[in-house]
PDB file of all heavy atoms in Angstrom:
ATOM      1  N   ALA A 598       3.809  -8.801   2.898  1.00  0.00           N
ATOM      2  CA  ALA A 598       3.771  -8.950   4.343  1.00  0.00           C
ATOM      3  C   ALA A 598       2.962  -7.730   4.816  1.00  0.00           C
ATOM      4  O   ALA A 598       3.317  -6.564   4.546  1.00  0.00           O
ATOM      5  CB  ALA A 598       5.193  -8.896   4.909  1.00  0.00           C
ATOM      6  N   ALA A 599       1.880  -8.010   5.466  1.00  0.00           N
ATOM      7  CA  ALA A 599       0.896  -6.926   5.764  1.00  0.00           C
ATOM      8  C   ALA A 599       1.544  -5.856   6.639  1.00  0.00           C
ATOM      9  O   ALA A 599       2.241  -6.146   7.606  1.00  0.00           O
ATOM     10  CB  ALA A 599      -0.322  -7.510   6.465  1.00  0.00           C
ATOM     11  N   ASP A 600       1.260  -4.626   6.275  1.00  0.00           N
ATOM     12  CA  ASP A 600       1.644  -3.473   7.072  1.00  0.00           C
ATOM     13  C   ASP A 600       0.484  -2.975   7.906  1.00  0.00           C
ATOM     14  O   ASP A 600       0.673  -2.158   8.791  1.00  0.00           O
ATOM     15  CB  ASP A 600       2.116  -2.354   6.158  1.00  0.00           C
ATOM     16  CG  ASP A 600       1.007  -1.990   5.144  1.00  0.00           C
ATOM     17  OD1 ASP A 600       0.888  -2.743   4.148  1.00  0.00           O
ATOM     18  OD2 ASP A 600       0.254  -1.031   5.384  1.00  0.00           O
ATOM     19  N   HIS A 601      -0.709  -3.418   7.534  1.00  0.00           N
ATOM     20  CA  HIS A 601      -1.925  -3.051   8.318  1.00  0.00           C
ATOM     21  C   HIS A 601      -2.895  -4.219   8.255  1.00  0.00           C
ATOM     22  O   HIS A 601      -2.722  -5.146   7.460  1.00  0.00           O
ATOM     23  CB  HIS A 601      -2.548  -1.738   7.811  1.00  0.00           C
ATOM     24  CG  HIS A 601      -3.159  -1.855   6.467  1.00  0.00           C
ATOM     25  ND1 HIS A 601      -2.431  -1.893   5.281  1.00  0.00           N
ATOM     26  CD2 HIS A 601      -4.472  -1.923   6.073  1.00  0.00           C
ATOM     27  CE1 HIS A 601      -3.255  -1.987   4.258  1.00  0.00           C
ATOM     28  NE2 HIS A 601      -4.511  -2.026   4.712  1.00  0.00           N
ATOM     29  N   ASN A 602      -3.881  -4.130   9.101  1.00  0.00           N
ATOM     30  CA  ASN A 602      -4.863  -5.191   9.227  1.00  0.00           C
ATOM     31  C   ASN A 602      -5.990  -4.959   8.262  1.00  0.00           C
ATOM     32  O   ASN A 602      -6.614  -3.873   8.292  1.00  0.00           O
ATOM     33  CB  ASN A 602      -5.353  -5.237  10.676  1.00  0.00           C
ATOM     34  CG  ASN A 602      -6.242  -6.445  10.963  1.00  0.00           C
ATOM     35  OD1 ASN A 602      -6.189  -7.418  10.200  1.00  0.00           O
ATOM     36  ND2 ASN A 602      -7.004  -6.366  12.044  1.00  0.00           N
ATOM     37  N   LEU A 603      -6.285  -5.918   7.379  1.00  0.00           N
ATOM     38  CA  LEU A 603      -7.386  -5.726   6.423  1.00  0.00           C
ATOM     39  C   LEU A 603      -8.714  -5.737   7.106  1.00  0.00           C
ATOM     40  O   LEU A 603      -9.686  -5.201   6.592  1.00  0.00           O
ATOM     41  CB  LEU A 603      -7.368  -6.878   5.386  1.00  0.00           C
ATOM     42  CG  LEU A 603      -6.143  -6.959   4.490  1.00  0.00           C
ATOM     43  CD1 LEU A 603      -6.231  -8.182   3.591  1.00  0.00           C
ATOM     44  CD2 LEU A 603      -6.021  -5.713   3.628  1.00  0.00           C
ATOM     45  N   ASP A 604      -8.843  -6.414   8.254  1.00  0.00           N
ATOM     46  CA  ASP A 604     -10.106  -6.482   8.969  1.00  0.00           C
ATOM     47  C   ASP A 604     -10.169  -5.411  10.056  1.00  0.00           C
ATOM     48  O   ASP A 604      -9.264  -4.550  10.120  1.00  0.00           O
ATOM     49  CB  ASP A 604     -10.300  -7.916   9.461  1.00  0.00           C
ATOM     50  CG  ASP A 604     -10.323  -8.887   8.306  1.00  0.00           C
ATOM     51  OD1 ASP A 604     -11.064  -8.658   7.345  1.00  0.00           O
ATOM     52  OD2 ASP A 604      -9.537  -9.864   8.315  1.00  0.00           O
ATOM     53  N   GLY A 605     -11.172  -5.434  10.870  1.00  0.00           N
ATOM     54  CA  GLY A 605     -11.310  -4.362  11.841  1.00  0.00           C
ATOM     55  C   GLY A 605     -11.571  -3.043  11.101  1.00  0.00           C
ATOM     56  O   GLY A 605     -12.329  -3.010  10.148  1.00  0.00           O
ATOM     57  N   ASP A 606     -10.845  -1.977  11.489  1.00  0.00           N
ATOM     58  CA  ASP A 606     -11.077  -0.707  10.800  1.00  0.00           C
ATOM     59  C   ASP A 606     -10.322  -0.561   9.477  1.00  0.00           C
ATOM     60  O   ASP A 606     -10.430   0.427   8.800  1.00  0.00           O
ATOM     61  CB  ASP A 606     -10.793   0.471  11.753  1.00  0.00           C
ATOM     62  CG  ASP A 606      -9.280   0.601  12.047  1.00  0.00           C
ATOM     63  OD1 ASP A 606      -8.482  -0.200  11.529  1.00  0.00           O
ATOM     64  OD2 ASP A 606      -8.938   1.521  12.842  1.00  0.00           O
ATOM     65  N   GLY A 607      -9.546  -1.609   9.161  1.00  0.00           N
ATOM     66  CA  GLY A 607      -8.838  -1.584   7.891  1.00  0.00           C
ATOM     67  C   GLY A 607      -7.726  -0.602   7.857  1.00  0.00           C
ATOM     68  O   GLY A 607      -7.206  -0.270   6.774  1.00  0.00           O
ATOM     69  N   ALA A 608      -7.272  -0.116   9.018  1.00  0.00           N
ATOM     70  CA  ALA A 608      -6.231   0.905   9.003  1.00  0.00           C
ATOM     71  C   ALA A 608      -5.137   0.633  10.033  1.00  0.00           C
ATOM     72  O   ALA A 608      -4.055   1.159   9.896  1.00  0.00           O
ATOM     73  CB  ALA A 608      -6.856   2.272   9.304  1.00  0.00           C
ATOM     74  N   ALA A 609      -5.375  -0.209  11.055  1.00  0.00           N
ATOM     75  CA  ALA A 609      -4.430  -0.366  12.142  1.00  0.00           C
ATOM     76  C   ALA A 609      -3.118  -0.926  11.606  1.00  0.00           C
ATOM     77  O   ALA A 609      -3.059  -2.003  11.012  1.00  0.00           O
ATOM     78  CB  ALA A 609      -5.013  -1.325  13.180  1.00  0.00           C
ATOM     79  N   GLN A 610      -2.016  -0.172  11.827  1.00  0.00           N
ATOM     80  CA  GLN A 610      -0.727  -0.639  11.389  1.00  0.00           C
ATOM     81  C   GLN A 610      -0.235  -1.796  12.252  1.00  0.00           C
ATOM     82  O   GLN A 610      -0.484  -1.799  13.460  1.00  0.00           O
ATOM     83  CB  GLN A 610       0.278   0.514  11.422  1.00  0.00           C
ATOM     84  CG  GLN A 610      -0.032   1.576  10.345  1.00  0.00           C
ATOM     85  CD  GLN A 610       1.008   2.678  10.295  1.00  0.00           C
ATOM     86  OE1 GLN A 610       1.397   3.155  11.342  1.00  0.00           O
ATOM     87  NE2 GLN A 610       1.407   3.098   9.133  1.00  0.00           N
ATOM     88  N   ILE A 611       0.449  -2.739  11.638  1.00  0.00           N
ATOM     89  CA  ILE A 611       0.954  -3.877  12.391  1.00  0.00           C
ATOM     90  C   ILE A 611       2.394  -4.153  12.035  1.00  0.00           C
ATOM     91  O   ILE A 611       2.835  -3.826  10.939  1.00  0.00           O
ATOM     92  CB  ILE A 611       0.096  -5.137  12.184  1.00  0.00           C
ATOM     93  CG1 ILE A 611      -0.008  -5.497  10.676  1.00  0.00           C
ATOM     94  CG2 ILE A 611      -1.316  -4.949  12.742  1.00  0.00           C
ATOM     95  CD1 ILE A 611      -0.769  -6.790  10.409  1.00  0.00           C
ATOM     96  N   SER A 612       3.127  -4.738  12.955  1.00  0.00           N
ATOM     97  CA  SER A 612       4.535  -5.113  12.708  1.00  0.00           C
ATOM     98  C   SER A 612       4.614  -6.618  12.666  1.00  0.00           C
ATOM     99  O   SER A 612       4.582  -7.289  13.706  1.00  0.00           O
ATOM    100  CB  SER A 612       5.466  -4.604  13.828  1.00  0.00           C
ATOM    101  OG  SER A 612       5.562  -3.199  13.736  1.00  0.00           O
ATOM    102  N   ILE A 613       4.704  -7.144  11.447  1.00  0.00           N
ATOM    103  CA  ILE A 613       4.910  -8.596  11.347  1.00  0.00           C
ATOM    104  C   ILE A 613       6.228  -8.788  10.573  1.00  0.00           C
ATOM    105  O   ILE A 613       6.671  -7.912   9.843  1.00  0.00           O
ATOM    106  CB  ILE A 613       3.758  -9.309  10.703  1.00  0.00           C
ATOM    107  CG1 ILE A 613       3.569  -8.827   9.284  1.00  0.00           C
ATOM    108  CG2 ILE A 613       2.471  -9.165  11.502  1.00  0.00           C
ATOM    109  CD1 ILE A 613       2.766  -9.800   8.461  1.00  0.00           C
ATOM    110  N   TYR A 614       6.815  -9.958  10.735  1.00  0.00           N
ATOM    111  CA  TYR A 614       8.169 -10.142  10.242  1.00  0.00           C
ATOM    112  C   TYR A 614       8.237 -11.286   9.220  1.00  0.00           C
ATOM    113  O   TYR A 614       8.007 -12.443   9.543  1.00  0.00           O
ATOM    114  CB  TYR A 614       9.098 -10.393  11.426  1.00  0.00           C
ATOM    115  CG  TYR A 614       9.049  -9.248  12.417  1.00  0.00           C
ATOM    116  CD1 TYR A 614       8.207  -9.284  13.521  1.00  0.00           C
ATOM    117  CD2 TYR A 614       9.781  -8.078  12.149  1.00  0.00           C
ATOM    118  CE1 TYR A 614       8.116  -8.187  14.375  1.00  0.00           C
ATOM    119  CE2 TYR A 614       9.662  -6.973  12.989  1.00  0.00           C
ATOM    120  CZ  TYR A 614       8.829  -7.044  14.109  1.00  0.00           C
ATOM    121  OH  TYR A 614       8.733  -5.969  14.926  1.00  0.00           O
ATOM    122  N   SER A 615       8.503 -10.900   7.989  1.00  0.00           N
ATOM    123  CA  SER A 615       8.756 -11.861   6.911  1.00  0.00           C
ATOM    124  C   SER A 615      10.196 -11.615   6.464  1.00  0.00           C
ATOM    125  O   SER A 615      10.563 -10.498   6.126  1.00  0.00           O
ATOM    126  CB  SER A 615       7.768 -11.602   5.772  1.00  0.00           C
ATOM    127  OG  SER A 615       8.246 -12.292   4.618  1.00  0.00           O
ATOM    128  N   GLY A 616      10.984 -12.674   6.465  1.00  0.00           N
ATOM    129  CA  GLY A 616      12.418 -12.493   6.234  1.00  0.00           C
ATOM    130  C   GLY A 616      12.768 -11.939   4.868  1.00  0.00           C
ATOM    131  O   GLY A 616      13.584 -11.004   4.725  1.00  0.00           O
ATOM    132  N   ARG A 617      12.183 -12.525   3.821  1.00  0.00           N
ATOM    133  CA  ARG A 617      12.617 -12.228   2.472  1.00  0.00           C
ATOM    134  C   ARG A 617      11.377 -12.253   1.563  1.00  0.00           C
ATOM    135  O   ARG A 617      10.476 -13.056   1.762  1.00  0.00           O
ATOM    136  CB  ARG A 617      13.606 -13.304   2.007  1.00  0.00           C
ATOM    137  CG  ARG A 617      14.849 -13.392   2.889  1.00  0.00           C
ATOM    138  CD  ARG A 617      15.415 -14.790   3.095  1.00  0.00           C
ATOM    139  NE  ARG A 617      16.488 -14.869   4.041  1.00  0.00           N
ATOM    140  CZ  ARG A 617      16.308 -15.068   5.358  1.00  0.00           C
ATOM    141  NH1 ARG A 617      15.090 -15.310   5.899  1.00  0.00           N
ATOM    142  NH2 ARG A 617      17.315 -15.077   6.191  1.00  0.00           N
ATOM    143  N   GLY A 618      11.429 -11.461   0.521  1.00  0.00           N
ATOM    144  CA  GLY A 618      10.287 -11.398  -0.393  1.00  0.00           C
ATOM    145  C   GLY A 618      10.386 -12.418  -1.506  1.00  0.00           C
ATOM    146  O   GLY A 618       9.939 -13.539  -1.366  1.00  0.00           O
ATOM    147  N   ILE A 619      11.013 -12.011  -2.649  1.00  0.00           N
ATOM    148  CA  ILE A 619      11.133 -12.933  -3.802  1.00  0.00           C
ATOM    149  C   ILE A 619      12.627 -13.163  -4.032  1.00  0.00           C
ATOM    150  O   ILE A 619      13.384 -12.206  -4.236  1.00  0.00           O
ATOM    151  CB  ILE A 619      10.512 -12.319  -5.054  1.00  0.00           C
ATOM    152  CG1 ILE A 619       9.028 -12.045  -4.860  1.00  0.00           C
ATOM    153  CG2 ILE A 619      10.747 -13.234  -6.277  1.00  0.00           C
ATOM    154  CD1 ILE A 619       8.330 -11.317  -6.009  1.00  0.00           C
ATOM    155  N   LEU A 620      13.042 -14.406  -4.011  1.00  0.00           N
ATOM    156  CA  LEU A 620      14.438 -14.802  -4.341  1.00  0.00           C
ATOM    157  C   LEU A 620      14.391 -15.564  -5.646  1.00  0.00           C
ATOM    158  O   LEU A 620      13.704 -16.564  -5.780  1.00  0.00           O
ATOM    159  CB  LEU A 620      15.010 -15.697  -3.238  1.00  0.00           C
ATOM    160  CG  LEU A 620      16.342 -16.374  -3.546  1.00  0.00           C
ATOM    161  CD1 LEU A 620      17.443 -15.358  -3.791  1.00  0.00           C
ATOM    162  CD2 LEU A 620      16.742 -17.374  -2.434  1.00  0.00           C
ATOM    163  N   SER A 621      15.121 -15.057  -6.659  1.00  0.00           N
ATOM    164  CA  SER A 621      15.234 -15.836  -7.895  1.00  0.00           C
ATOM    165  C   SER A 621      16.677 -16.251  -8.126  1.00  0.00           C
ATOM    166  O   SER A 621      17.558 -15.401  -8.167  1.00  0.00           O
ATOM    167  CB  SER A 621      14.733 -15.072  -9.114  1.00  0.00           C
ATOM    168  OG  SER A 621      14.911 -15.916 -10.236  1.00  0.00           O
ATOM    169  N   GLN A 622      16.866 -17.528  -8.253  1.00  0.00           N
ATOM    170  CA  GLN A 622      18.140 -18.094  -8.656  1.00  0.00           C
ATOM    171  C   GLN A 622      17.971 -18.811 -10.008  1.00  0.00           C
ATOM    172  O   GLN A 622      18.820 -19.613 -10.416  1.00  0.00           O
ATOM    173  CB  GLN A 622      18.616 -19.087  -7.584  1.00  0.00           C
ATOM    174  CG  GLN A 622      18.781 -18.416  -6.225  1.00  0.00           C
ATOM    175  CD  GLN A 622      19.268 -19.342  -5.152  1.00  0.00           C
ATOM    176  OE1 GLN A 622      18.586 -20.328  -4.822  1.00  0.00           O
ATOM    177  NE2 GLN A 622      20.433 -19.045  -4.563  1.00  0.00           N
ATOM    178  N   SER A 623      16.876 -18.463 -10.675  1.00  0.00           N
ATOM    179  CA  SER A 623      16.525 -19.141 -11.935  1.00  0.00           C
ATOM    180  C   SER A 623      17.407 -18.678 -13.071  1.00  0.00           C
ATOM    181  O   SER A 623      17.672 -17.486 -13.230  1.00  0.00           O
ATOM    182  CB  SER A 623      15.080 -18.875 -12.275  1.00  0.00           C
ATOM    183  OG  SER A 623      14.799 -19.218 -13.617  1.00  0.00           O
ATOM    184  N   ALA A 624      17.790 -19.639 -13.904  1.00  0.00           N
ATOM    185  CA  ALA A 624      18.547 -19.298 -15.121  1.00  0.00           C
ATOM    186  C   ALA A 624      17.565 -18.831 -16.221  1.00  0.00           C
ATOM    187  O   ALA A 624      17.997 -18.483 -17.315  1.00  0.00           O
ATOM    188  CB  ALA A 624      19.319 -20.519 -15.630  1.00  0.00           C
ATOM    189  N   GLY A 625      16.314 -18.771 -15.912  1.00  0.00           N
ATOM    190  CA  GLY A 625      15.311 -18.193 -16.808  1.00  0.00           C
ATOM    191  C   GLY A 625      14.837 -19.208 -17.815  1.00  0.00           C
ATOM    192  O   GLY A 625      15.213 -20.397 -17.796  1.00  0.00           O
ATOM    193  N   PRO A 626      13.976 -18.784 -18.739  1.00  0.00           N
ATOM    194  CA  PRO A 626      13.440 -17.438 -18.764  1.00  0.00           C
ATOM    195  C   PRO A 626      12.429 -17.209 -17.647  1.00  0.00           C
ATOM    196  O   PRO A 626      11.686 -18.118 -17.286  1.00  0.00           O
ATOM    197  CB  PRO A 626      12.750 -17.325 -20.126  1.00  0.00           C
ATOM    198  CG  PRO A 626      12.403 -18.767 -20.475  1.00  0.00           C
ATOM    199  CD  PRO A 626      13.477 -19.605 -19.874  1.00  0.00           C
ATOM    200  N   VAL A 627      12.470 -16.001 -17.092  1.00  0.00           N
ATOM    201  CA  VAL A 627      11.495 -15.573 -16.083  1.00  0.00           C
ATOM    202  C   VAL A 627      10.901 -14.265 -16.544  1.00  0.00           C
ATOM    203  O   VAL A 627      11.637 -13.345 -16.934  1.00  0.00           O
ATOM    204  CB  VAL A 627      12.153 -15.411 -14.699  1.00  0.00           C
ATOM    205  CG1 VAL A 627      11.214 -14.703 -13.733  1.00  0.00           C
ATOM    206  CG2 VAL A 627      12.576 -16.790 -14.150  1.00  0.00           C
ATOM    207  N   TRP A 628       9.592 -14.235 -16.532  1.00  0.00           N
ATOM    208  CA  TRP A 628       8.899 -12.952 -16.797  1.00  0.00           C
ATOM    209  C   TRP A 628       8.160 -12.554 -15.516  1.00  0.00           C
ATOM    210  O   TRP A 628       7.421 -13.363 -14.929  1.00  0.00           O
ATOM    211  CB  TRP A 628       7.807 -13.147 -17.896  1.00  0.00           C
ATOM    212  CG  TRP A 628       8.373 -13.528 -19.208  1.00  0.00           C
ATOM    213  CD1 TRP A 628       8.716 -12.706 -20.256  1.00  0.00           C
ATOM    214  CD2 TRP A 628       8.624 -14.873 -19.697  1.00  0.00           C
ATOM    215  NE1 TRP A 628       9.156 -13.448 -21.312  1.00  0.00           N
ATOM    216  CE2 TRP A 628       9.151 -14.759 -21.004  1.00  0.00           C
ATOM    217  CE3 TRP A 628       8.470 -16.141 -19.115  1.00  0.00           C
ATOM    218  CZ2 TRP A 628       9.493 -15.903 -21.754  1.00  0.00           C
ATOM    219  CZ3 TRP A 628       8.837 -17.274 -19.888  1.00  0.00           C
ATOM    220  CH2 TRP A 628       9.325 -17.115 -21.189  1.00  0.00           C
ATOM    221  N   MET A 629       8.369 -11.357 -15.087  1.00  0.00           N
ATOM    222  CA  MET A 629       7.598 -10.830 -13.952  1.00  0.00           C
ATOM    223  C   MET A 629       6.872  -9.602 -14.485  1.00  0.00           C
ATOM    224  O   MET A 629       7.449  -8.529 -14.640  1.00  0.00           O
ATOM    225  CB  MET A 629       8.549 -10.450 -12.811  1.00  0.00           C
ATOM    226  CG  MET A 629       9.308 -11.623 -12.196  1.00  0.00           C
ATOM    227  SD  MET A 629      10.160 -11.099 -10.715  1.00  0.00           S
ATOM    228  CE  MET A 629      11.180 -12.535 -10.373  1.00  0.00           C
ATOM    229  N   VAL A 630       5.622  -9.799 -14.786  1.00  0.00           N
ATOM    230  CA  VAL A 630       4.798  -8.753 -15.429  1.00  0.00           C
ATOM    231  C   VAL A 630       3.837  -8.219 -14.381  1.00  0.00           C
ATOM    232  O   VAL A 630       2.940  -8.935 -13.966  1.00  0.00           O
ATOM    233  CB  VAL A 630       4.026  -9.320 -16.659  1.00  0.00           C
ATOM    234  CG1 VAL A 630       3.168  -8.248 -17.299  1.00  0.00           C
ATOM    235  CG2 VAL A 630       5.021  -9.893 -17.667  1.00  0.00           C
ATOM    236  N   GLY A 631       4.022  -6.982 -13.942  1.00  0.00           N
ATOM    237  CA  GLY A 631       3.127  -6.402 -12.986  1.00  0.00           C
ATOM    238  C   GLY A 631       3.217  -7.155 -11.641  1.00  0.00           C
ATOM    239  O   GLY A 631       2.229  -7.683 -11.130  1.00  0.00           O
ATOM    240  N   THR A 632       4.420  -7.139 -11.041  1.00  0.00           N
ATOM    241  CA  THR A 632       4.599  -7.820  -9.760  1.00  0.00           C
ATOM    242  C   THR A 632       4.997  -6.814  -8.694  1.00  0.00           C
ATOM    243  O   THR A 632       5.501  -5.731  -8.980  1.00  0.00           O
ATOM    244  CB  THR A 632       5.650  -8.923  -9.831  1.00  0.00           C
ATOM    245  OG1 THR A 632       6.936  -8.352 -10.066  1.00  0.00           O
ATOM    246  CG2 THR A 632       5.323  -9.935 -10.932  1.00  0.00           C
ATOM    247  N   ALA A 633       4.783  -7.190  -7.432  1.00  0.00           N
ATOM    248  CA  ALA A 633       5.155  -6.333  -6.312  1.00  0.00           C
ATOM    249  C   ALA A 633       5.539  -7.192  -5.106  1.00  0.00           C
ATOM    250  O   ALA A 633       5.053  -8.329  -4.980  1.00  0.00           O
ATOM    251  CB  ALA A 633       4.024  -5.406  -5.946  1.00  0.00           C
TER     252      ALA A 633
END
Side-chain angles (χ1 to χ4, degrees):
D600 56 280
H601 69 284
N602 188 18
L603 296 175
D604 299 309
D606 68 1
Q610 290 183 317
I611 56 176
S612 289
I613 63 160
Y614 302 96
S615 164
R617 301 144 186 91
I619 300 175
L620 170 62
S621 179
Q622 300 180 300
S623 165
V627 168
W628 298 266
M629 297 189 189
V630 179
T632 66

